[in-house]
Amino acid sequence: MENIAFIGLGNMGGPMAVNLLNKGFKVSAFDLSAEALAKVAAAGGRAASSAADAIDGASVVISMLPAGKHVQGLYLGDDGLFAKLPKGTLIIDCSTIDAGAARKVAEAAQAQGLAMLDAPVSGGTAGAAAGTLTFIVGGEAGDLARARPVLEAMGKNIFHAGGPGAGQTAKICNNMLLGILMAGTAEALALGVKNGLDPKVLSEIISKSSGRNWATELYNPWPGVMENVPASRNYAGGFMSELMLKDLGLAEETALQSHASNPLGALARNLYEEHVQQGNGKLDFSSIVKHFHTLN
């Protein structure tokens, strides 16, 4: 079994680290949150005092951080982890960042004799807890073959999207569509409720009709329709709206750089920007339903 350093124990990273422990891997973890560290320690992991402490003796480093600036800050520069890791170490960055930053970090890793994969995830907090995440991987096929047993301990589906940065591009496309679908689902349910329909009945109708989608079937945004989703707990503990806004911004930047059209993605970004500005940034992204309907 590989010795793993896990950096970043948020709503996604924490459960992922616990799943590695449950599958028999040794995990040294670091996060700025003492509470997050305590949860991993309670599952059998080692609570490191710093990122540099976490990588001591590790053959694999996994990071799950909020943005590209955090990833570059962790790995690059004289004080970054790349300067401290032995050659041959495998780095798997599961953060969702822009593809350009992912390629920059991968090039720096290669220059240091390190193996680097960008492996953003899909499946939400429920998938992280259940170990059923989808990993969307960019990097060399040989490095992915080495990483596969580690990824399989945390996820159900593993896709090789292409070379460095390709995982991030594919993830950004997916999350742009997810933001559009969630906003559209929320709008449709609000329209039905304002015209006297029961949101649970309408959701069931949509799920068996041509409007069916992931949001209505597995992550319904309307309170009281579905158990064990953020909408059933006041939108706490899921994928924060401010992170969806970040991803939609990445999609818009990618579209501009590649001269691609993304009118629906841009509209979804505008909706989430307004939603976050209204103080909903820490709530799950399904709380966008508040934009269309006042909830009791």
Side-chain angles (χ1 to χ4, degrees):
M1 285 287 188
E2 305 266 19
N3 291 330
I4 298 174
F6 204 113
I7 315 297
L9 305 172
N11 291 335
M12 298 292 291
M16 291 165 67
V18 170
N19 281 327
L20 287 169
L21 288 163
N22 291 340
K23 293 296 176 65
F25 290 94
K26 293 182 179 179
V27 177
S28 294
F30 176 70
D31 193 275
L32 295 176
S33 167
E35 181 181 357
L37 270 176
K39 290 180 180 179
V40 174
R46 182 176 77 88
S49 60
S50 65
D53 178 33
I55 66 171
D56 185 28
S59 54
V60 177
V61 179
I62 300 174
S63 50
M64 174 61 93
L65 300 173
K69 63 180 181 181
H70 304 109
V71 174
Q72 294 183 72
L74 175 67
Y75 290 118
L76 305 183
D78 293 338
D79 294 326
L81 295 188
F82 285 173
K84 301 176 174 67
L85 289 167
K87 293 184 185 301
T89 302
L90 173 63
I91 299 98
I92 306 171
D93 181 44
C94 295
S95 317
T96 297
I97 64 176
D98 66 280
R103 286 190 290 269
K104 178 181 178 181
V105 175
E107 289 170 2
Q110 184 178 27
Q112 293 286 340
L114 306 168
M116 180 88 196
L117 297 172
D118 51 284
V121 303
S122 180
T125 53
T132 58
L133 291 171
T134 292
F135 287 90
I136 308 165
V137 184
E140 298 299 324
D143 296 332
L144 174 55
R146 178 181 166 190
R148 191 170 290 274
V150 176
L151 299 179
E152 287 175 345
M154 301 179 288
K156 187 177 180 180
N157 302 297
I158 302 169
F159 294 102
H160 188 199
Q168 298 296 348
T169 299
K171 173 64 187 296
I172 288 167
C173 292
N174 178 81
N175 275 26
M176 181 184 74
L177 180 58
L178 177 60
I180 294 168
L181 285 173
M182 184 58 77
T185 297
E187 183 178 359
L189 292 176
L191 177 63
V193 169
K194 287 184 178 181
N195 285 275
L197 296 182
D198 182 321
K200 191 168 187 177
V201 172
L202 178 55
S203 295
E204 185 176 359
I205 291 169
I206 292 172
S207 295
K208 302 299 181 184
S209 304
S210 55
R212 65 182 302 185
N213 65 77
W214 183 84
T216 53
E217 293 183 60
L218 299 175
Y219 210 88
N220 200 287
W222 204 274
V225 171
M226 188 174 291
E227 297 180 358
N228 301 318
V229 296
S232 69
R233 50 180 185 266
N234 295 318
Y235 302 102
F239 182 62
M240 292 187 293
S241 293
E242 62 186 26
L243 294 180
M244 174 54 79
L245 175 60
K246 180 205 75 172
D247 290 356
L248 289 167
L250 290 174
E252 194 161 12
E253 290 172 15
T254 301
L256 287 170
Q257 292 167 3
S258 57
H259 304 288
S261 177
N262 76 322
L264 295 180
L267 177 57
R269 182 189 179 280
N270 290 340
L271 289 171
Y272 273 97
E273 184 168 33
E274 182 178 341
H275 186 57
V276 169
Q277 288 175 348
Q278 291 172 346
N280 301 300
K282 301 298 182 184
L283 300 181
D284 181 75
F285 79 108
S286 61
S287 64
I288 192 67
V289 73
K290 293 183 175 185
H291 182 87
F292 304 101
H293 189 87
T294 301
L295 302 174
N296 295 328

